[in-house]
Amino acid sequence: ASDASADAILLTDLGKEAGSLTLAVWSGAKAVLPPLLTGAGTTDAGDKDALGSLYNLLFVRLPTFCVGVGYVVNLTQGHPLMMDPFGTGAFEVSPIIVFAALWAILRY
């Protein structure tokens, strides 16, 4: 009977209870990935909403980090970020602005 209830907990909750699948995946991600990617500064960070933390990792932090790496590669090869938001002519975006935007997203 205890195995059935444990399976029910693993399959039905959304990461808010101890023993959940999403909590296990989130804990594994925190153990393997640096805090820059997970946003987890403490050992229990994100545990109360593991599904939300995984969503943040997969769809916000990881893509932002990858875009940042791509930007740095392009910048070192002499290809800065160019924008033409209003159709008035392209201009180079200062690396300070780009890094500030990346920091604002990844700081938590």
Side-chain angles (χ1 to χ4, degrees):
S2 65
D3 289 334
S5 64
D7 290 339
I9 290 173
L10 285 173
L11 297 175
T12 59
D13 72 288
L14 295 175
K16 297 180 191 259
E17 296 179 19
S20 72
L21 179 61
T22 53
L23 182 58
V25 173
W26 171 242
S27 296
K30 285 192 305 184
V32 174
L33 298 173
L36 178 69
L37 288 179
T38 63
T42 61
T43 57
D44 63 344
D47 291 351
K48 290 184 181 178
D49 185 15
L51 185 61
S53 298
L54 284 171
Y55 178 89
N56 185 37
L57 169 67
L58 293 174
F59 297 111
V60 177
R61 300 184 74 81
L62 191 59
T64 302
F65 179 79
C66 291
V67 166
V69 169
Y71 171 73
V72 169
V73 168
N74 283 333
L75 189 63
T76 58
Q77 294 176 351
H79 306 288
L81 176 62
M82 301 294 291
M83 289 184 63
D84 185 9
F86 307 110
T88 58
F91 64 92
E92 181 180 337
V93 178
S94 169
I96 294 172
I97 294 173
V98 175
F99 288 123
L102 291 172
W103 175 81
I105 295 169
L106 295 175
R107 69 181 168 181
Y108 295 113

